[in-house]
Amino acid sequence: MIAYAPAAFFFLLCGIGVLRDRRQFSNAVLLGIAVSFLALALIAELRRAPTLVAELAVALIALFPTAGTVALVWFLLSNGLTMIRKEGRRPANLLSLLAGLGILGLIALFAAAVITESERIGILAATALLVVGYISFLFVCFVGYAFLYQRHHPRGDVDFVVVLGSGLIGGERVPPLLASRLERGRQVFEKQAARGNPPVLITSGGQGPDEKLPESHAMADYLVERGFPAEHLEREDRSRTTEENLLFSKAIMEQAKPDYRCVIVTNNFHAFRAALMARKTDVSGQVFGSPTARYYWPSATIREFAAVFLSHKLVNLGICGFLAVCGLLAATFGPE
């Protein structure tokens, strides 16, 4: 049982963090560490298993990195091409393609080290693997915890439903991505109204330089045209970023009811980062995610993770930089 102690310890820390506030990235990291220790403990238990079972498990564990890498590269490349075909060649749409090409580049670096038998190239490849491994671990933590976060729906009454804006088509029309948020916001409103406590729905979004009207106005018009009661709508039309969405909506809510409780609605790929931002801005509410087209999810999730990663740049870039410097020093002063 002692082998499971580290996993139990980190599961306990994660549980405490969730009880304090589930909107913390540290919860995701603690959960990832706990699952890693649990996996190591289960692998250690293989020595007690029957020989055939142990050999089969070892073979599967050995094959998983190769098969998993091939599948991941194929998925990222194909998704990247789909994104280009359907969404265009904007940098944000290229992330899954670039991730797949990056993995291929790392494999090529290791292949070069083997072919040339160069220890320096081998050290550089190992260093790159360490950096990629660190980032990949955080990414898996992010995706896993984000999935769990969205499974929990806060109970009880809420006073406000805040729907975050995401840009308009042609500067005036609500796109499918934003329509998904508005429909989820309507669902939350209707569930609350059915309990006798109809909240105020706040559409949040200002006017961009290429937009003919504020996003919040187009969002409100979209809902009213589909039968939503206009008297339960409020427009927040100054914000340009997610942080401003939350800050300006918070001001509206606090002015109406200082002890308010709200639900924030965005797309599922954006929900966990929005929750982290809600905690940072001290907004009293959790985040609901609305459905997103499957092909859009990978690149959007990578983009969201990158934003979270860079929001802790001192720690994350510091660790990556330390690993890189150590590898460069080893390659420079190591054996030929």
Side-chain angles (χ1 to χ4, degrees):
M1 293 299 294
I2 193 67
Y4 294 95
F9 175 70
F10 282 101
F11 274 123
L12 177 62
L13 290 181
C14 178
I16 293 172
V18 169
L19 290 175
R20 290 179 58 189
D21 193 337
R22 63 180 58 89
R23 304 170 302 173
Q24 300 182 90
F25 188 63
S26 59
N27 295 340
V29 176
L30 290 171
L31 180 62
I33 294 173
V35 171
S36 299
F37 275 118
L38 178 60
L40 291 174
L42 291 173
I43 291 173
E45 289 292 314
L46 288 176
R47 66 178 184 271
R48 300 181 183 178
T51 303
L52 181 59
V53 174
E55 290 178 350
L56 181 60
V58 169
L60 290 174
I61 292 171
L63 287 173
F64 178 77
T66 301
T69 300
V70 171
L72 179 61
V73 169
W74 177 85
F75 171 76
L76 290 172
L77 293 178
S78 62
N79 176 258
L81 295 175
T82 300
M83 280 292 291
I84 292 173
R85 187 174 68 254
K86 293 191 174 184
E87 301 290 334
R89 300 191 180 191
R90 291 189 302 115
N93 297 334
L94 303 178
L95 293 178
S96 57
L97 179 64
L98 293 175
L101 292 174
I103 296 173
L104 285 179
L106 183 60
I107 294 172
L109 188 60
F110 272 100
V114 173
I115 293 171
T116 62
E117 298 182 352
S118 170
E119 291 193 22
R120 285 185 174 177
I121 296 178
I123 292 172
L124 291 175
T127 302
L129 182 63
L130 284 175
V131 174
V132 170
Y134 172 74
I135 296 173
S136 298
F137 172 74
L138 292 182
F139 180 73
V140 171
C141 291
F142 175 83
V143 172
Y145 189 81
F147 174 81
L148 294 176
Y149 178 84
Q150 292 182 68
R151 304 281 77 75
H152 179 272
H153 288 179
R155 299 175 181 176
D157 293 339
V158 296
D159 306 294
F160 297 92
V161 178
V162 181
V163 182
L164 305 183
S166 67
L168 302 175
I169 295 177
E172 58 183 338
R173 291 185 293 113
V174 170
L177 194 75
L178 184 51
S180 174
R181 300 183 184 189
L182 291 166
E183 293 300 334
R184 178 52 62 89
R186 178 206 287 270
Q187 292 173 9
V188 176
F189 172 86
E190 290 175 347
K191 286 182 180 180
Q192 291 288 315
R195 297 165 56 178
N197 180 45
V200 173
L201 191 149
I202 300 176
T203 54
S204 180
Q207 183 173 354
D210 58 344
E211 294 175 335
K212 299 176 183 178
L213 74 167
E215 292 174 20
S216 59
H217 291 210
M219 293 160 70
D221 292 343
Y222 174 95
L223 289 170
V224 171
E225 288 170 3
R226 287 158 180 77
F228 191 92
E231 64 272 18
H232 289 284
L233 278 172
E234 182 80 35
R235 297 165 177 80
E236 181 286 297
D237 57 9
R238 296 184 295 152
S239 56
R240 299 289 186 89
T241 65
T242 298
E243 185 171 4
E244 289 184 353
N245 285 146
L246 295 169
L247 285 172
F248 296 152
S249 296
K250 174 186 172 185
I252 292 172
M253 293 185 288
E254 286 184 334
Q255 184 175 10
K257 186 176 182 181
D259 59 343
Y260 73 92
R261 186 167 180 262
C262 76
V263 163
I264 302 156
V265 178
T266 186
N267 289 94
N268 51 14
F269 65 82
H270 185 233
F272 185 41
R273 185 164 78 91
L276 298 177
M277 190 65 68
R279 181 175 186 268
K280 176 183 175 183
T281 54
D282 198 28
V283 173
S284 178
Q286 300 294 337
V287 182
F288 281 8
S290 66
T292 306
R294 291 183 180 179
Y295 77 86
Y296 194 86
W297 184 87
S299 283
T301 300
I302 293 172
R303 183 176 69 245
E304 295 300 306
F305 168 72
V308 172
F309 182 88
L310 292 175
S311 69
H312 301 85
K313 61 172 70 71
L314 184 62
V315 173
N316 290 325
L317 295 183
I319 292 174
C320 291
F322 174 76
L323 293 173
V325 168
C326 288
L328 289 173
L329 290 175
T332 302
F333 299 105
E336 293 290 340

